[in-house]
Amino acid sequence: QQQVKQSPQSLIVQKGGISIINCAYENTAFDYFPWYQQFPGKGPALLIAIRPDVSEKKEGRFTISFNKSAKQFSLHIMDSQPGDSATYFCAALFGNEKLTFGTGTRLTIIP
Amino acid sequence: DAGVTQSPTHLIKTRGQHVTLRCSPISGHKSVSWYQQVLGQGPQFIFQYYEKEERGRGNFPDRFSARQFPNYSSELNVNALLLGDSALYLCASSIRDNTEAFFGQGTRLTVV
């Protein structure tokens, strides 16, 4: 049972553009929503995270937008750079339970 | 500061064999979780340990087992390996629960 749905599966964005990745969840008990960045051959790296009591969180070029009523959240990467090319995973967590990951988005930034 | 370290980085095993994967968490982190990542998919939860006690178990067969030691390092054991066990095995450490979980570089297991 997939509890976190992620889209798109792949995304190509021009350098300097905005990359947007979307996730939707089913379990309303989830209370922590992180995004991870993974480069080939490496483990996922925590990028940014949000809790449902805020609608937006920004760290540098990365912003999470959160819509509690729609049970959706998204990652925005502003001024996308070739070094941002990686696979991005959204995830959700409830209390002390396990992280539930989305299926991933392969992002490619082209010059 | 050292991050999460996993060993070995790569491993090739024959079907039916047994494998032990090791993980050292970040200093001060008492929770260790194991995930399996098949190529092209997101990580799937296998186990979580906190203070040497199993806190959670994912939907994996009994061939998978794990333990945590007094120094908070952990081992993942897989018996009777199947071809389908080929994957990247990830260890994540966190202070207590799974918020701000930091992953190691993983162990790439290939079963032939």
Side-chain angles (χ1 to χ4, degrees), chain A residues 32 36 38 41-44 46 51 89 93 95-99 101-104, chain B residues 35 37 40-43 45 48 55 88 90 96-101 103-105:
Chain A
Y32 176 76
Y36 283 84
Q38 186 175 29
K42 302 293 185 182
L46 180 62
R51 292 196 180 270
F89 292 95
L93 175 69
N96 293 323
E97 299 295 314
K98 61 187 170 90
L99 279 168
F101 285 85
T103 50
Chain B
Y35 291 80
Q37 186 176 24
Q41 297 183 19
F45 172 76
Q48 184 192 2
R55 172 170 281 180
L88 180 68
L90 296 163
R96 184 172 177 274
D97 55 25
N98 278 310
T99 57
E100 295 198 6
F103 284 82
Q105 82 283 1

Side-chain angles (χ1 to χ4, degrees), chain A residues 68-91:
Chain A
K68 188 174 181 179
S69 61
K71 294 189 286 186
Q72 295 175 348
F73 58 110
S74 59
L75 176 69
H76 296 234
I77 305 175
M78 313 299 287
D79 187 28
S80 299
Q81 298 297 311
D84 297 330
S85 296
T87 299
Y88 292 80
F89 292 95
C90 62

Side-chain angles (χ1 to χ4, degrees), chain B residues 24-82:
Chain B
S24 293
I26 293 171
S27 178
H29 285 193
K30 298 182 178 180
S31 175
V32 170
S33 296
W34 288 94
Y35 291 80
Q36 180 195 65
Q37 186 176 24
V38 174
L39 196 63
Q41 297 183 19
Q44 297 293 314
F45 172 76
I46 310 176
F47 285 109
Q48 184 192 2
Y49 278 80
Y50 175 71
E51 289 281 17
K52 302 177 288 294
E53 297 288 328
E54 181 182 301
R55 172 170 281 180
R57 172 187 286 255
N59 188 23
F60 281 81
D62 291 342
R63 299 183 295 109
F64 289 76
S65 63
R67 56 178 175 169
Q68 186 177 32
F69 298 99
N71 67 352
Y72 304 109
S73 67
S74 178
E75 283 183 356
L76 175 69
N77 295 283
V78 187
N79 292 323
L81 285 167
L82 303 174

